[in-house]
């Protein structure tokens, strides 16, 4: 029997990686524009890191982590998310004490979830974490930055922002008690997961998708009414800043996020364009996390975008520029059999059109076959070199006239013809 890829793990083929790279490049460009700096964390961390940060009683840690013992007997986990590792990195490298950091990262995350379109067991996130800034200004900056990412990807009209405040840990603990008190009499009517969460993580019951549980929750005491004064003021200030920045949002009191470490602001960007897997970005403030992991008290806030879903969203909205789906700009081939002249011309074209693909025909074959192969690359046209008389022909694959000229005249003529190219390849 042939060995196949593991369930929930994807193979990405060239046509997909072109789109992925564009999405990654666009997002990296937005981070650059905001002065955020990239870090790279390992994919393996100690299990305890996630238990102590994401939380023992969360779905992620309880049911979804890939955990194993390495050959030295250490218990390690494939990271299910990036925040915990980023905090660990920042603390370990001395980036936190009395400092401000605006960091971003990207890479694969691993969760043993039930796979379906848009939900995988290995998926990529691009995330940001900001340390040392307690005020609502950075909350607003992060949300403005994510809004800018959607705009840069061309999908801003397909996403919507929902925000909530989880309050201080004390206010939340008091609320937790009241919520359990309210839900306890309904215990038998709650779905199985929610019954279990009544003990472990009752706030998660608020965002249950089970209809009867939702009915019960609808009349529950609201977290919003239990907020402490400082959280309320902070939340109001974030909303004012978003209004002033022209970022649309809705307050949704049922957003609680699945992870234990959040305090204060939490948010989600969702879309209707991807069916049931509509969450494209989630994040929030976690002012207690650094201390929880053994550091000095340090405010923190961050978010993660699901790259797989961002790519799917760009596909659903046909947001990719034409150039992204083109393997090469020009297909260079000799008219007869002289590869040396073609190779030389290809190098000149690469120098003249940096960053664009110039694909050299290899492997001989009949002229018509070679042209066909060029056509299949999606290139704009073939550049056919003629060793015998030092001329070259540009033969467009779609509309437009052929160009026949001495080799030296080719680049200026192509430049003229495709003067709008820089926009296309952005
Ligand atoms: P979370 O860390 O759960 O808040 O997830 C942040 C973002 O990562 C979500 O909004 C999704 O876009 C993405 N994401 C989470 N889990 C998966 C998954 N299993 N497959 C694909 N994307 C995911």
């Amino acid at each position: 029997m042939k060995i196949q890829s593991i369930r929930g793990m994807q193979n990405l083929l060239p046509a997909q990686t072109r789109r992925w790279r564009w999405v990654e490049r666009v997002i990296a460009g937005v981070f650059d524009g905001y002065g955020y700096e990239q870090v790279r964390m390992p994919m393996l961390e100690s299990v305890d890191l996630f238990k102590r940060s994401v939380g023992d009683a969360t779905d992620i840690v309880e049911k979804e982590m890939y955990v194993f013992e390495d050959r030295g007997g250490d218990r390690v986990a494939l990271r299910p998310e990036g925040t915990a590792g980023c905090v660990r990195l920042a603390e370990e490298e001395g980036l936190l004490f009395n400092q401000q950091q605006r960091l971003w990262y990207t890479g694969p995350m691993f969760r043993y979830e039930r796979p379906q379109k848009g939900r995988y067991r290995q998926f990529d996130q691009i995330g940001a974490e900001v340390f040392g800034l307690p005020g609502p200004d950075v909350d607003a900056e992060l949300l403005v930055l994510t809004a800018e990412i959607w705009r840069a990807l061309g999908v801003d009209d397909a996403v919507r922002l929902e925000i909530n405040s989880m309050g201080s840990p004390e206010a939340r603990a008091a609320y937790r008690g009241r919520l359990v008190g309210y839900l306890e009499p309904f215990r038998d009517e709650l779905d199985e997961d929610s019954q279990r969460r009544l003990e472990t993580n009752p706030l998660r019951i608020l965002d249950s998708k089970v209809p009867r549980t939702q009915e019960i929750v609808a009349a529950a005491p609201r977290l919003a009414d239990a907020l402490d004064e400082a959280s309320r003021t902070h939340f109001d200030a974030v909303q004012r800043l978003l209004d002033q920045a022209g970022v649309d949002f809705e307050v949704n009191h049922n957003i609680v996020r699945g992870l234990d470490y959040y305090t204060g602001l939490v948010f989600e960007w969702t879309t209707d364009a991807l069916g049931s897997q509509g969450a494209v970005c989630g994040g929030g403030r976690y002012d207690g996390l650094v201390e929880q992991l053994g550091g000095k008290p340090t405010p923190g806030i961050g978010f993660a975008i699901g790259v797989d879903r961002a790519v799917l969203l760009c596909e659903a909205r046909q947001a990719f520029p034409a150039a992204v789906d083109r393997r090469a700009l020009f297909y260079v081939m000799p008219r007869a059999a002289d590869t040396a002249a073609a190779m030389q011309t290809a190098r000149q074209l690469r120098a003249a059109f940096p960053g664009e693909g110039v694909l050299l025909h290899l492997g001989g074959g009949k002229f018509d076959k070679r042209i066909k192969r060029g056509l299949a690359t999606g290139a704009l046209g073939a550049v056919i070199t003629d060793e015998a008389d030092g001329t070259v022909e540009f033969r467009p694959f779609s509309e437009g006239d052929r160009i026949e000229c001495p080799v030296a005249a080719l680049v200026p003529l192509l430049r003229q013809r495709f003067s709008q190219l820089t926009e296309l390849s952005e």
Side-chain angles (χ1 to χ4, degrees):
M1 210 173 67
K2 283 205 184 123
I3 295 175
Q4 293 187 321
S5 63
I6 294 172
R7 205 162 114 80
M9 311 268 163
Q10 306 179 84
N11 300 310
L12 295 185
L13 298 180
Q16 291 165 292
T17 56
R18 278 201 287 274
R19 294 179 166 194
W20 273 70
R21 287 179 61 191
W22 181 77
V23 167
E24 289 163 347
R25 205 163 56 235
V26 168
I27 298 178
V30 175
F31 279 126
D32 287 345
Y34 279 72
Y36 282 54
E37 299 176 287
Q38 194 185 14
V39 288
R40 300 190 185 196
M41 298 91 73
M43 278 176 235
L44 273 185
E45 299 274 2
S46 115
V47 174
D48 288 340
L49 175 68
F50 302 110
K51 288 194 169 174
R52 278 170 55 185
S53 54
V54 176
D56 258 332
T58 56
D59 282 355
I60 291 181
V61 170
E62 228 177 51
K63 303 193 268 194
E64 296 170 0
M65 259 199 321
Y66 282 86
V67 177
F68 60 94
E69 206 165 276
D70 71 10
R71 287 175 188 276
D74 289 331
R75 299 270 294 163
V76 296
L78 282 168
R79 61 181 181 192
E81 55 100 61
T83 302
C86 190
V87 169
R88 186 209 40 74
L89 170 149
E91 176 61 22
E92 195 171 309
E93 301 295 337
L95 303 184
L96 296 181
F97 187 59
N98 270 345
Q99 296 175 71
Q100 298 175 350
Q101 301 290 349
R102 284 180 255 185
L103 307 174
W104 72 278
Y105 56 82
T106 181
M109 307 294 161
F110 302 83
R111 294 181 196 173
Y112 197 80
E113 294 193 83
R114 201 167 44 77
Q116 63 182 83
K117 189 171 169 68
R119 189 163 71 200
Y120 311 103
R121 289 180 175 172
Q122 175 181 326
F123 57 95
D124 268 46
Q125 286 186 341
I126 296 185
E129 313 294 344
V130 177
F131 299 108
L133 291 158
D137 52 354
V138 56
D139 302 36
E141 175 173 274
L142 271 188
L143 290 169
V144 170
L145 187 158
T146 38
E148 178 62 25
I149 287 175
W150 308 126
R151 203 196 56 76
L153 292 173
V155 296
D156 46 330
D157 57 350
V159 291
R160 130 182 114 248
L161 172 63
E162 294 179 328
I163 64 175
N164 190 19
S165 175
M166 307 275 292
S168 68
E170 299 76 34
R172 206 158 112 200
Y175 171 74
R176 186 186 152 124
R178 273 207 281 151
L179 180 66
V180 173
Y182 164 82
L183 289 171
E184 196 58 62
F186 296 102
R187 177 182 281 271
D188 294 343
E189 292 175 66
L190 295 173
D191 61 279
E192 210 176 299
D193 272 341
S194 296
Q195 287 185 10
R196 194 167 42 82
R197 287 182 178 141
L198 212 46
E199 268 85 50
T200 57
N201 200 351
L203 264 65
R204 283 299 310 280
I205 300 175
L206 295 178
D207 64 4
S208 165
K209 303 285 178 284
V210 178
R212 178 60 191 138
T213 302
Q214 279 181 334
E215 275 171 33
I216 295 169
V217 159
R222 293 187 336 149
L223 180 56
D225 300 327
L227 284 191
D228 51 296
E229 194 51 38
S231 297
R232 203 186 301 272
T233 313
H234 186 111
F235 194 42
D236 287 346
V238 174
Q239 293 182 51
R240 257 196 319 278
L241 286 167
L242 288 178
D243 281 335
Q244 284 161 357
V247 174
D248 290 336
F249 63 91
E250 258 173 62
V251 174
N252 177 352
H253 293 302
N254 288 335
I255 292 187
V256 296
R257 314 275 304 134
L259 290 61
D260 275 359
Y261 50 61
Y262 289 112
T263 53
L265 182 81
V266 289
F267 57 91
E268 268 169 18
W269 287 90
T270 54
T271 178
D272 292 329
L274 298 181
S276 60
Q277 301 309 312
V280 285
C281 171
R285 186 167 269 287
Y286 47 83
D287 289 343
L289 182 57
V290 174
E291 197 179 4
Q292 210 171 305
L293 291 174
K296 297 228 163 50
T298 306
I301 179 169
F303 69 79
I305 291 175
V307 183
D308 305 68
R309 291 185 197 170
V311 172
L312 288 170
L313 181 56
C314 290
E315 275 166 4
R317 307 299 293 193
Q318 301 184 322
F320 295 106
V324 173
D325 291 325
R326 196 165 46 214
R327 179 172 172 198
L329 201 53
F330 302 121
Y331 194 75
V332 183
M333 53 189 258
R335 186 172 303 286
D338 181 52
T339 305
M343 206 177 254
Q344 173 69 11
T345 300
R347 288 175 67 187
Q348 283 167 358
L349 288 171
R350 288 185 192 117
F353 298 93
E356 302 286 354
V358 176
L359 199 59
L360 177 65
H361 177 85
L362 298 174
K366 292 211 178 79
F367 186 81
D368 286 354
K369 281 253 172 67
R370 280 183 264 155
I371 288 281
K372 255 199 201 142
R373 186 159 294 174
L375 200 59
T377 65
L380 297 178
V383 172
I384 304 159
T385 57
D386 207 325
E387 156 82 341
D389 58 5
T391 63
V392 63
E393 173 189 336
F394 173 70
R395 190 179 292 193
F397 286 142
S398 50
E399 77 275 15
D401 297 332
R402 293 183 185 187
I403 299 173
E404 281 174 75
C405 63
V407 175
L410 177 68
V411 165
L413 286 171
L414 288 177
R415 274 231 177 88
Q416 211 174 12
R417 160 105 52 125
F418 299 111
S419 57
Q420 84 287 21
L421 261 184
T422 42
E423 287 149 43
L424 281 180
S425 63
E426 252 175 27

